[in-house]
Amino acid sequence: MAFKLTICCLIVELAFSLIEVHPPDQDSSPKNFIIFTVASENNDAYQRYVRSLRHFGMDNSLITLGMNQEWKGGDMRKAGGGYKVNLLKEAMKEYKDEQDLIVMFTDSYDVIFLTDINEILDKFYKTGANFVISAEDWIWPDRSLKSQYPKIEGKQYLCSGLMIGYAETFWEILNYKEISNTYDDQLYYTHVYLDSDFRTKHKLQLDGTTELFHNLHGTLEELNMGYGNQRISNLKYGTMPAVLHGNGPMHVKLDLNRISNYYPHVFNPTAGEFGECYTCNEDRIDVTENPPVILTNLYVKGTRSSRSRDL
């Protein structure tokens, strides 16, 4: 039995490794789809996020809330982030009656996309849900709510950094109750999901098997990185997540940093003798006419010998 299981796992891993993801030939964003995120600074992490969307032709669907504005959500190393919910609530007013509109929300600084909108929508529609929220193995911020979670396949607990669903349903979720800017956003969505009547009425689901969303906290060993032009896959559940989220402590952010050195379509270590960099020619600046002044500094650390002291 163990031998057969090993063969099966090898076949699954090989199948995943052979799947390539190529950028679309043109903007693939459908008219009935938008992506919301919240970011207060146009920093490297935000630009990485936007680049992953642009690679798959989805950057035109992005609406960024809070840019160049004061962050009012408190210290995100602790409970907080209700500001994101309130920004979304205000922004969703103009879309709340659009029945066929699909709305995705993701964090930005610690998120990259791994595939295009066609696959994302296909996977969402197959769930049969009105709204899908990502899941993880860690419960935050209120562990006392653990027993109230319904049992599902895969990961059990809600992570509010990634979600997708119909605009009408999202509007109902955002109006579940009033919260302050410093209230915890994940606790807010947790209360929504744990309300069994609301969950059933509005057909809410968690993505327990990471069909759409993969949260990295405590789950790095589940992933087959593939590398090259190949897809990241989750071997534990036999899925290929569409969006990767480096949620949690700083070491998880560093894991995402390492992964984003390769994905999506950043660097292929298997190409040629030294690998192939796909981003090296992006956003280049022509300095042939006005070359910049470059300052270099050489620091040599060592122990001086008795001879060098005499000299």
Side-chain angles (χ1 to χ4, degrees), residues 41 61 94 112-114 123 145 154 204 217 220 245 247:
E41 298 179 28
S61 295
E94 65 177 287
I112 57 173
F113 280 73
L114 301 174
K123 287 183 173 182
L145 299 175
L204 311 184
H217 188 197
L220 188 63
H245 181 205
N247 63 314

mmCIF file of all heavy atoms in Angstrom, residues 41 61 94 112-114 123 145 154 204 217 220 245 247:
data_model
loop_
_atom_site.group_PDB
_atom_site.id
_atom_site.type_symbol
_atom_site.label_atom_id
_atom_site.label_comp_id
_atom_site.label_asym_id
_atom_site.label_seq_id
_atom_site.Cartn_x
_atom_site.Cartn_y
_atom_site.Cartn_z
ATOM 1 N N GLU A 41 0.617 53.095 0.862
ATOM 2 C CA GLU A 41 1.872 53.518 0.243
ATOM 3 C C GLU A 41 2.128 52.726 -1.040
ATOM 4 O O GLU A 41 1.892 51.517 -1.080
ATOM 5 C CB GLU A 41 3.048 53.288 1.196
ATOM 6 C CG GLU A 41 2.989 54.068 2.485
ATOM 7 C CD GLU A 41 4.171 53.751 3.376
ATOM 8 O OE1 GLU A 41 5.248 53.386 2.847
ATOM 9 O OE2 GLU A 41 4.028 53.862 4.600
ATOM 10 N N SER A 61 -8.521 45.803 -13.642
ATOM 11 C CA SER A 61 -9.662 45.501 -12.772
ATOM 12 C C SER A 61 -9.431 45.954 -11.331
ATOM 13 O O SER A 61 -10.320 45.842 -10.499
ATOM 14 C CB SER A 61 -9.947 43.987 -12.774
ATOM 15 O OG SER A 61 -10.361 43.553 -14.045
ATOM 16 N N GLU A 94 -21.547 51.964 -4.882
ATOM 17 C CA GLU A 94 -21.935 52.103 -6.283
ATOM 18 C C GLU A 94 -22.077 50.769 -7.009
ATOM 19 O O GLU A 94 -22.548 50.730 -8.145
ATOM 20 C CB GLU A 94 -20.932 52.987 -7.028
ATOM 21 C CG GLU A 94 -19.532 52.418 -7.146
ATOM 22 C CD GLU A 94 -18.615 53.315 -7.955
ATOM 23 O OE1 GLU A 94 -18.792 53.368 -9.192
ATOM 24 O OE2 GLU A 94 -17.744 53.965 -7.352
ATOM 25 N N ILE A 112 0.512 37.765 -3.949
ATOM 26 C CA ILE A 112 0.790 37.709 -5.383
ATOM 27 C C ILE A 112 -0.222 36.781 -6.049
ATOM 28 O O ILE A 112 -0.694 35.818 -5.434
ATOM 29 C CB ILE A 112 2.226 37.222 -5.704
ATOM 30 C CG1 ILE A 112 2.497 35.843 -5.092
ATOM 31 C CG2 ILE A 112 3.252 38.245 -5.261
ATOM 32 C CD1 ILE A 112 3.834 35.237 -5.515
ATOM 33 N N PHE A 113 -0.538 37.085 -7.304
ATOM 34 C CA PHE A 113 -1.439 36.242 -8.094
ATOM 35 C C PHE A 113 -0.612 35.225 -8.878
ATOM 36 O O PHE A 113 0.498 35.510 -9.315
ATOM 37 C CB PHE A 113 -2.266 37.100 -9.054
ATOM 38 C CG PHE A 113 -3.438 37.763 -8.393
ATOM 39 C CD1 PHE A 113 -3.252 38.832 -7.521
ATOM 40 C CD2 PHE A 113 -4.724 37.313 -8.628
ATOM 41 C CE1 PHE A 113 -4.321 39.443 -6.901
ATOM 42 C CE2 PHE A 113 -5.814 37.917 -8.013
ATOM 43 C CZ PHE A 113 -5.612 38.992 -7.144
ATOM 44 N N LEU A 114 -1.207 34.037 -9.067
ATOM 45 C CA LEU A 114 -0.508 32.939 -9.731
ATOM 46 C C LEU A 114 -1.170 32.501 -11.027
ATOM 47 O O LEU A 114 -0.630 31.640 -11.739
ATOM 48 C CB LEU A 114 -0.415 31.733 -8.787
ATOM 49 C CG LEU A 114 0.306 31.983 -7.459
ATOM 50 C CD1 LEU A 114 0.204 30.752 -6.562
ATOM 51 C CD2 LEU A 114 1.762 32.370 -7.684
ATOM 52 N N LYS A 123 -13.075 28.593 -11.111
ATOM 53 C CA LYS A 123 -13.012 27.915 -9.818
ATOM 54 C C LYS A 123 -14.075 28.444 -8.852
ATOM 55 O O LYS A 123 -14.661 27.683 -8.085
ATOM 56 C CB LYS A 123 -11.621 28.075 -9.210
ATOM 57 C CG LYS A 123 -10.561 27.237 -9.907
ATOM 58 C CD LYS A 123 -9.207 27.372 -9.238
ATOM 59 C CE LYS A 123 -8.209 26.393 -9.830
ATOM 60 N NZ LYS A 123 -6.886 26.459 -9.173
ATOM 61 N N LEU A 145 -13.582 31.072 19.852
ATOM 62 C CA LEU A 145 -14.627 30.796 18.855
ATOM 63 C C LEU A 145 -14.408 29.474 18.111
ATOM 64 O O LEU A 145 -15.213 29.109 17.254
ATOM 65 C CB LEU A 145 -14.685 31.946 17.840
ATOM 66 C CG LEU A 145 -15.034 33.328 18.398
ATOM 67 C CD1 LEU A 145 -14.937 34.375 17.301
ATOM 68 C CD2 LEU A 145 -16.422 33.328 19.019
ATOM 69 N N GLY A 154 -10.564 20.067 4.809
ATOM 70 C CA GLY A 154 -9.355 20.885 4.737
ATOM 71 C C GLY A 154 -9.211 21.835 5.904
ATOM 72 O O GLY A 154 -9.541 21.516 7.046
ATOM 73 N N LEU A 204 -22.258 31.310 2.091
ATOM 74 C CA LEU A 204 -20.862 31.614 2.336
ATOM 75 C C LEU A 204 -20.075 30.323 2.511
ATOM 76 O O LEU A 204 -20.551 29.375 3.122
ATOM 77 C CB LEU A 204 -20.705 32.468 3.602
ATOM 78 C CG LEU A 204 -21.592 33.708 3.752
ATOM 79 C CD1 LEU A 204 -21.207 34.468 5.012
ATOM 80 C CD2 LEU A 204 -21.500 34.612 2.528
ATOM 81 N N HIS A 217 1.018 30.845 6.143
ATOM 82 C CA HIS A 217 1.385 30.664 7.551
ATOM 83 C C HIS A 217 1.271 29.188 7.958
ATOM 84 O O HIS A 217 0.194 28.618 8.005
ATOM 85 C CB HIS A 217 0.474 31.511 8.439
ATOM 86 C CG HIS A 217 0.902 31.542 9.868
ATOM 87 N ND1 HIS A 217 0.066 31.939 10.888
ATOM 88 C CD2 HIS A 217 2.085 31.214 10.467
ATOM 89 C CE1 HIS A 217 0.704 31.866 12.040
ATOM 90 N NE2 HIS A 217 1.926 31.425 11.807
ATOM 91 N N LEU A 220 4.050 26.056 4.348
ATOM 92 C CA LEU A 220 5.033 26.065 3.269
ATOM 93 C C LEU A 220 5.340 24.657 2.783
ATOM 94 O O LEU A 220 5.543 24.424 1.582
ATOM 95 C CB LEU A 220 6.319 26.756 3.738
ATOM 96 C CG LEU A 220 7.384 27.030 2.666
ATOM 97 C CD1 LEU A 220 6.861 27.988 1.602
ATOM 98 C CD2 LEU A 220 8.648 27.602 3.313
ATOM 99 N N HIS A 245 -0.862 34.151 -0.308
ATOM 100 C CA HIS A 245 -0.921 35.184 0.729
ATOM 101 C C HIS A 245 0.096 34.869 1.822
ATOM 102 O O HIS A 245 0.013 33.823 2.464
ATOM 103 C CB HIS A 245 -2.337 35.210 1.326
ATOM 104 C CG HIS A 245 -2.543 36.240 2.394
ATOM 105 N ND1 HIS A 245 -3.514 36.094 3.370
ATOM 106 C CD2 HIS A 245 -1.919 37.428 2.644
ATOM 107 C CE1 HIS A 245 -3.476 37.140 4.175
ATOM 108 N NE2 HIS A 245 -2.524 37.960 3.757
ATOM 109 N N ASN A 247 0.473 35.550 4.913
ATOM 110 C CA ASN A 247 -0.121 36.043 6.160
ATOM 111 C C ASN A 247 0.696 35.622 7.374
ATOM 112 O O ASN A 247 1.441 34.646 7.335
ATOM 113 C CB ASN A 247 -1.542 35.485 6.301
ATOM 114 C CG ASN A 247 -1.558 33.965 6.399
ATOM 115 O OD1 ASN A 247 -0.886 33.285 5.623
ATOM 116 N ND2 ASN A 247 -2.291 33.426 7.349
#
